[in-house]
Amino acid sequence: MKVAVYTGTFNPLHKGHLAIMKYLTESGGFDTVYLTVSPQSPFKPYMAAESGAARLKAAEEAVARHSGLRVRVEDIELHLPAPQYTVRTLDALKKREPGNEFTLVIGADNLLNIDRWKDADRILTEYGVAVYPRKGYDMAAMRNRLMSGNNLLHAGEAGRTKSGNAGGSYRILLMSDAPVVDISSTEIREGIAAGRDMSEYLM
C-alpha cells in the first residue's frame, strides 16, 4: 500500500490541509494518508508537547466530520522520544508496517529548507517526498537544485551524498496541480485571538 505521511502540529487543522489530503488519494496516486500529529516540532520549541493529545483528539474529530476520506489519524509521534525528528517517525512506521511504501508529504517551503532536517539525505533517498505548492516558491527550481547534487546535503567529492548516493537517486514528486494552501494555522489562531470568526477556514 502506498501511504502518504502528512506530519505536523495541525494547530488547528484547516481546509487547506483537507484539500491536500483529498488530492493525495484522489489524484496523487496514494492509497491512504496517515495524518501524523506531532507533539512538538523541532522547529517550534515554543509549542508545548503536552498539547499533543488535545490536538490528536481534535484531528480525529475533524477527520470524522468528513465521510469518505481515506485518512487515518496517526498518534505514533506521541509515543516516540523527543525530539520528534521526521526520519525517526518514518523509520518507526516502516518497522511497524514493512509491507507499505511510505512517502513524506511536505510543502514547497519545507523543500527549500530540507537541508536543516535531521538525516534529510535518508528521507529523500529511502522514502521520498511529495511536495505541494506554496505561493512564492519555485518547486521545479528547488527540485533541480537538489537532484543536481549542488546543495548542502552533499558533503563529499564529486557531488556524492553522505550516504554515498548521488542526488539523482532522490525521490522528489512535485504535485504541481495540487491546490495552493493560502491559509495557515497561525493566521487562524491570530484571527481567533483577535475575536474574528474563523470557522469558515476550519476543517
Side-chain angles (χ1 to χ4, degrees):
M1 185 166 66
K2 295 184 67 175
V3 180
V5 182
Y6 194 6
T7 67
T9 51
F10 303 118
N11 185 36
L13 273 168
H14 53 68
K15 289 185 176 179
H17 296 129
L18 176 62
I20 294 298
M21 290 189 287
K22 284 184 175 180
Y23 175 88
L24 288 165
T25 56
E26 295 173 3
S27 305
F30 291 95
D31 298 303
T32 190
V33 176
Y34 282 8
L35 182 70
T36 307
V37 178
S38 302
Q40 186 178 51
S41 166
F43 298 118
K44 299 178 181 178
Y46 53 83
M47 178 171 288
E50 293 77 11
S51 67
R55 285 183 281 107
L56 177 73
K57 181 180 178 181
E60 291 171 339
E61 292 172 349
V63 169
R65 286 193 289 270
H66 298 271
S67 61
L69 280 182
R70 283 184 279 163
V71 174
R72 167 171 145 181
V73 179
E74 179 60 63
D75 68 349
I76 193 167
E77 285 203 0
L78 274 65
H79 304 291
L80 293 175
Q84 280 75 23
Y85 292 123
T86 300
V87 69
R88 293 177 180 172
T89 303
L90 293 167
D91 288 345
L93 288 169
K94 189 65 177 178
K95 182 178 180 180
R96 190 183 74 187
E97 303 169 22
N100 288 337
E101 178 184 331
F102 296 99
T103 301
L104 179 66
V105 179
I106 61 173
D109 51 331
N110 281 320
L111 184 64
L112 178 65
N113 298 308
I114 201 166
D115 55 282
R116 297 173 56 205
W117 292 35
K118 179 176 175 58
D119 294 337
D121 184 71
R122 279 193 55 223
I123 292 173
L124 291 168
T125 54
E126 296 179 25
Y127 298 101
V129 292
V131 188
Y132 59 86
R134 298 297 295 265
K135 286 184 178 178
Y137 292 88
D138 187 335
M139 295 195 301
M142 289 186 284
R143 180 184 185 275
N144 290 340
R145 177 179 64 87
L146 288 164
M147 298 297 282
S148 72
N150 185 24
N151 62 83
L152 296 177
L153 297 183
H154 293 77
E157 295 181 1
R160 305 298 291 182
T161 67
K162 296 175 184 177
S163 62
N165 296 310
S169 65
Y170 288 164
R171 294 168 47 205
I172 304 175
L173 170 65
L174 301 184
M175 301 186 295
S176 301
D177 56 346
V180 176
V181 177
D182 57 3
I183 185 70
S184 71
S185 296
T186 299
E187 290 171 322
I188 292 172
R189 290 197 308 273
E190 290 174 347
I192 292 173
R196 298 197 300 274
D197 180 9
M198 305 298 287
S199 58
E200 66 177 296
Y201 300 107
L202 297 176
M203 179 176 157

